[in-house]
């Protein structure tokens, strides 16, 4: 009996010792050193149950690697994710941090630059050539690839073929045009049908963003932080084009999403230039089936500008915490190398990825009756490859807040160069 | 019957134990029950009191939170009402695209500035203009279009009460949206009284809940009940949107009568209901404390009962064992003592059991042995006294006998019967010699017979030869021992009493061996007598002793004293036929005289 107790004591002691030593390992792994340990569960954060959360669930099913771990998908509001990441990473604690997190492309650089060691590089994990160039630019930092591109934000021009026809235009007439040509067509459309050509939100310069990316330009320089506003010819051109639209009186002014969606669903506008993620909203008005077509984004009337742009989009990132190997393994064997998964994503949730090999799949070639039998996904993914790569940098939204006011001044008659110089000054003062 | 008797016996033998045990058990159970229940009651009362106090404090804290929020809303509302830009944009009609563009920008700048006052509460802010303009700060919070909102019942309600800031409940209509509490205020042009828009501050119930969620728990629920009796917010999700007019009534009562709390039975549960009226919201903040759950958490009644039960059981077992041990030894003692008489008070009791029982048994035993000693002493003393008496009697040679004998001798000498006188003197001398020696000493039968012959000679010399005496002695008895003067009293008796009527007769003396006994018989053929009773010496009338103090009555006693019960004197007599005396003695040889002494001592 005594022997038994002795043995029990021994066993308990060993377990305690083992627990202690494994605890040490965790601690060293957490401090960001090379030490690593396997975990049973990895956590992934995303924000939209209908979109990126659903994509993760499909990815879990499609996983074809040989890792043995659970993937725990947690839904958080996007603002909460940003706040939690900022709080956690700036305090240096990895406690409660996920293994995989989805970050919007416009914000990605600010995280990569602010917390260089917090993310696990995927350079050796994925093949960057398989993804659209512009995505690689936004998801890499200092030559290392950090993000695995998720959805494409490829922008397109959704047009009402019936209104165009009424005004004497065909789909070909709006394909691969410049914004100037677009404005001219808009004028005719307004004249003949009384409908505005597009909606504009004074507080959201998405229109400007899409315009300048057609020429490979952005609010900031290549370094991602220096404001590139005054003397930015592309931006000047975009502002001018924007003013022309206002002057031509072809824009319906909206102030929020409901008015934006309401405008095209109720047939108030003849076209919607925006990201491809609007497709489901456009299709909401089932009575308009067959009256829509999707054409490439108009380009700025400049040398080098292309008929392709982007709006929004996000990518997966792996945090440098325990389980990063598993997280990288999971991403590689799902979004990183599985064309079938992309077929599923397109079919089930309408999510268009930027993984080039997936474009050859059947799901991409499906003809969409709503858009007159157009092979929409194939077209969109083709245009994706043409999007000029830009570095979105750190301050997209901060600069845009300043630009909104600058646009007001410009529309109210101020000199463009002065306006942009003002804006540049403000931005430099605010962001330094 | 036997069983019953046995059971009764067991009961009687253990009565002390049963009494003690029962009393102990009853007291233990009673004490623990009383303590258990009174402590449960006391602590629950105390807890309820403190709980209601702390919850009232909590309610006040929550009220402060609500007031803060309300204050923020009021501030924001004031700013919106006094904001010229907003009024301009909302009253603007027929504006150009550029004007619209500017207006939208301006109003958003203003509203975003004002929104900061309520932003920290996660509330949304919506401004609705009659000119189809809508500004929704956080669209995803409430994705509503102008048409829907303009025709919404809460808008109608607000427009009908343009001067009041109203808080209205908006239930969840689909699975995507959540219930909201919307603060609404109509925007009115003061000079004309025209309403140009409506201001909304929708806050999701989940956000509002955070004002009080920290104070709640499963058993401590907080409800926000509006004036129509609808539960607009609660930490219990499934209560939201329920009609609860009974709660509203009780909340009103608590608030109006300034009660601390009220016992309420709602949702099939007993609650303590505390309430606080929120005047700005026109709602009641109700705190329901589930009595049972709270008390269950605080006082684990089951556990307390189990503990007291355990203590009672343990105490009962201990009491059982101890009292059993104590009473058992006492009962055993009592049993032994009651049986004492059976053993002639000779048997000491066993000294076992507890300390007290041992002591008692010990004391009893020493008392018993003392008693024994005293009894022995008394017996010895009596024996000594008896033999002293006998000795004294034996030594008392009757002076008359001597006088008469000597007188007879004198006459004989005077008559010249010299030889006869010499014989008589010889006989007297021999008689006296034997008589005066130790009374305890035994003599041989031969000697006794010699003494008797001398005695007979003296008597015949004095009184004549009318009475003949014959001796028949078995030769094998001659050297047997017997106490001296044991037969003399019977011969004396025969001489002086048996021949009062008849003047002549004979006395026969027989000594023989009968089995292990020595049998001496003195038979006469004299007058005889009536014998009543059991034929023993008591019936023989004793008058006076003519030779020594020893009478026939003493003979019997003496024999029994010397040899035991089975020996003694037996007298048979018949009127007119004579008397027969039988004396039975043990057969003893000469050397046994010392032994006989020992026997008498035991």
């Amino acid at each position: 009996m005594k022997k038994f107790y002795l043995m029990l004591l021994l066993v308990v002691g060993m377990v305690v010792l083992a627990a202690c030593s494994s605890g040490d390992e965790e601690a060293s792994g957490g401090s960001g050193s090379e030490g690593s340990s396997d975990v049973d569960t990895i956590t992934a954060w995303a924000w939209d149950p209908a979109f990126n959360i659903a994509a993760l669930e499909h990815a879990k099913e499609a996983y074809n690697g040989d890792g043995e771990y659970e993937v725990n998908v947690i839904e958080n509001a996007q603002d909460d994710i940003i706040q939690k990441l900022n709080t956690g990473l700036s305090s240096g604690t990895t406690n409660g941090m996920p293994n995989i997190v989805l970050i919007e492309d416009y914000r990605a650089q600010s995280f990569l630059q602010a917390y260089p060691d917090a993310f696990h590089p995927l350079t050796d994990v994925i093949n960057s050539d398989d993804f659209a160039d512009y995505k690689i630019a936004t998801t890499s930092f200092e030559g290392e690839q950090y993000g695995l591109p998720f959805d494409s934000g490829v922008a397109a021009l959704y047009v009402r073929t019936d209104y165009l026809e009424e005004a004497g235009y065909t789909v070909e007439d709006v394909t691969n045009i410049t914004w100037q040509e677009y404005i001219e067509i808009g004028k005719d459309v307004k004249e003949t049908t009384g409908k505005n050509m597009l909606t504009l939100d004074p507080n959201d310069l998405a229109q400007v963003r899409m315009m300048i990316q057609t020429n490979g330009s952005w609010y900031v320089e290549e370094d991602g932080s220096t404001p590139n506003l005054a003397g930015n010819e592309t931006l000047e051109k975009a502002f001018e084009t924007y003013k022309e639209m206002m002057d031509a009186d072809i824009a319906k002014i909206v102030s929020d999403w409901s008015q934006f969606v309401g405008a095209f669903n109720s047939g108030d506008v003849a076209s919607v230039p925006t990201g491809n993620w609007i497709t489901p909203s456009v299709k909401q008005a089932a009575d308009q089936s067959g009256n829509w077509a999707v054409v490439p984004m108009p380009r700025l009337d400049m040398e080098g500008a292309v008929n392709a742009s982007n709006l929004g989009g996000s990518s997966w990132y792996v945090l440098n915490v325990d389980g990063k190997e598993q997280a990288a393994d999971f991403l590689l064997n799902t979004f990183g190398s599985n064309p079938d998964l992309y077929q599923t994503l397109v079919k089930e949730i309408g999510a268009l990825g930027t993984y080039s090999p997936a474009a050859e799949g059947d799901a991409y070639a499906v003809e969409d009756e709503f858009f007159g039998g157009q092979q929409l996904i194939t077209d969109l993914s083709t245009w994706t490859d043409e999007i000029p790569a830009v570095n979105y940098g750190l301050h997209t939204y901060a600069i845009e807040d300043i630009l909104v006011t600058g646009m007001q001044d410009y529309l109210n008659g101020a000199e463009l160069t002065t306006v942009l110089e003002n804006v540049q000054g403000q931005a430099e003062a605010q962001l330094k | 019957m036997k069983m019953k008797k046995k059971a009764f016996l067991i009961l009687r033998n253990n009565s002390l134990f049963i009494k003690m045990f029962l009393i102990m058990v009853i007291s233990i159970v009673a004490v623990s029950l009383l303590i258990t229940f009174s402590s449960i009651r006391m602590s629950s009362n105390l807890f309820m009191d403190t709980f209601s106090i702390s919850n009232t404090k909590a309610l006040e804290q929550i009220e402060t939170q609500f007031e803060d929020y309300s204050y923020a809303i009021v501030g924001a509302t004031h700013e919106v009402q006094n904001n010229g830009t907003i009024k301009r944009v909302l009253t603007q009609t027929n504006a150009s695209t550029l004007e619209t563009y500017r207006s939208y920008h301006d109003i958003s700048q203003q509203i975003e500035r004002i929104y900061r006052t309520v932003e920290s509460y996660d509330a949304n802010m919506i401004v609705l203009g009659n000119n189809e303009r809508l500004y929704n700060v956080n669209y995803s919070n409430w994705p509503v279009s102008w048409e829907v909102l303009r025709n919404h019942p809460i808008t109608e309600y607000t427009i009908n009460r343009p001067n009041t800031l109203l808080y209205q409940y908006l239930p969840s209509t689909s699975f995507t949206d959540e219930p909201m509490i919307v603060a609404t205020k109509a925007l009115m042009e003061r000079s004309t009284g025209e309403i140009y828009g409506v201001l909304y501050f929708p806050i999701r119930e989940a956000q509002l809940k955070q004002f009080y969620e920290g104070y709640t728990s499963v058993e401590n629920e907080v409800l926000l009940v509006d004036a129509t009796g609808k539960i607009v917010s609660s930490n219990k999700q499934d209560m939201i949107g329920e009609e609860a007019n009974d709660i509203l009534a009780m909340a009103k009562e608590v608030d109006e009568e300034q009660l601390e709390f009220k016992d309420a039975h709602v949702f099939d549960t007993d609650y303590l209901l505390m309430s606080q009226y929120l005047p700005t919201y026109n709602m009641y903040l109700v705190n329901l404390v589930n009595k049972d759950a709270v008390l269950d958490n605080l006082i684990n009644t089951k556990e307390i009962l189990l503990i007291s039960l355990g203590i009672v059981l343990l105490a009962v077992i201990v009491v059982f064992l101890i009292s059993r041990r104590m009473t058992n030894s006492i009962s055993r003692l009592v049993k032994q003592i009651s049986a004492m008489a059976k053993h002639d008070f000779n048997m000491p009791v066993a000294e076992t059991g507890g300390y007290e029982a041992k002591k008692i048994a010990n004391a009893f035993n020493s008392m018993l042995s003392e008693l024994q000693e005293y009894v022995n002493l008394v017996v010895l003393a009596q024996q000594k006294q008896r033999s002293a008496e006998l000795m004294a009697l034996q030594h008392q040679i009757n002076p008359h006998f001597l006088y008469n004998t000597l007188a007879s001798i004198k006459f004989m000498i005077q008559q010249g019967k010299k030889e006869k006188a010499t014989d008589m003197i010889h006989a007297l001398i021999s008689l006296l010699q034997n008589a005066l020696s130790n009374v305890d000493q035994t003599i041989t039968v031969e000697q006794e017979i010699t003494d008797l012959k001398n005695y007979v000679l003296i008597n015949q010399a004095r009184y004549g030869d009318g009475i003949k005496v014959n001796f028949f002695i078995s030769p094998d008895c001659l050297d047997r021992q017997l106490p001296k003067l044991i037969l003399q009293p019977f011969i004396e008796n025969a001489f002086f009493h048996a021949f009062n009527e008849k003047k002549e007769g004979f006395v026969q003396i027989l000594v023989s061996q009968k089995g292990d006994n020595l049998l001496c018989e003195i038979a006469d053929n004299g007058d005889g007598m009536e014998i009543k009773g059991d034929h023993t010496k008591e019936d023989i009338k004793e008058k006076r002793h003519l030779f020594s103090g020893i009478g026939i009555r003493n003979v019997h006693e003496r024999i029994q004293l010397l040899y035991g019960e089975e020996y003694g004197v037996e007298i048979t007599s018949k009127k007119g036929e004579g008397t027969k005396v039988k004396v039975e003695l043990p057969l003893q040889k000469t050397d046994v005289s010392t032994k006989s002494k020992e026997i008498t001592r035991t």
Side-chain angles (χ1 to χ4, degrees), chain A residues 171-189:
Chain A
V171 174
E172 278 70 42
D173 292 331
V174 292
T175 306
N176 291 328
I177 55 170
T178 65
W179 282 107
Q180 270 65 36
E181 288 165 339
Y182 174 83
I183 291 166
E184 291 309 316
I185 295 167
K187 282 179 185 165
D188 289 344
V189 168

Side-chain angles (χ1 to χ4, degrees), chain B residues 82-195:
Chain B
N82 298 329
N83 192 300
T85 310
I86 293 173
K87 193 194 284 178
R88 181 173 54 77
V89 172
L90 294 186
T91 49
Q92 193 177 43
T93 44
N94 298 325
S96 71
T97 310
L98 198 61
E99 279 169 347
T100 311
Y101 191 90
R102 231 188 114 170
S103 299
Y104 275 24
H105 174 259
D106 291 349
I107 197 173
S108 94
Q109 299 282 313
Q110 296 301 321
I111 285 173
E112 251 157 41
R113 184 177 56 78
I114 296 168
Y115 174 64
R116 277 182 210 123
T117 32
V118 295
E119 192 178 12
S120 60
Y121 295 97
D122 266 333
N124 190 14
M125 178 174 167
I126 300 173
V127 177
L128 174 111
N130 279 343
N131 56 350
E132 298 201 18
R133 291 212 171 138
L134 177 75
Y135 197 86
N136 191 342
V137 175
N138 189 349
Y139 177 76
S140 61
N141 181 280
W142 189 12
V144 67
S145 68
W146 187 87
E147 286 82 10
V148 172
L149 192 57
R150 181 63 188 81
N151 298 317
H152 203 284
I154 64 170
T155 308
E156 296 299 325
Y157 191 79
T158 309
I159 288 172
N160 290 334
R161 291 163 187 76
N163 292 318
T164 333
L165 179 67
L166 299 165
Y167 287 86
Q168 302 186 60
Y169 173 66
L170 205 64
S172 158
T173 48
S174 69
F175 69 94
T176 46
D177 62 354
E178 293 173 37
M180 289 189 290
I181 287 88
V182 190
T184 57
K185 176 79 174 70
L187 299 173
M188 189 169 65
E189 171 62 53
R190 270 184 212 137
S191 51
T192 60
E194 188 199 342
I195 292 164

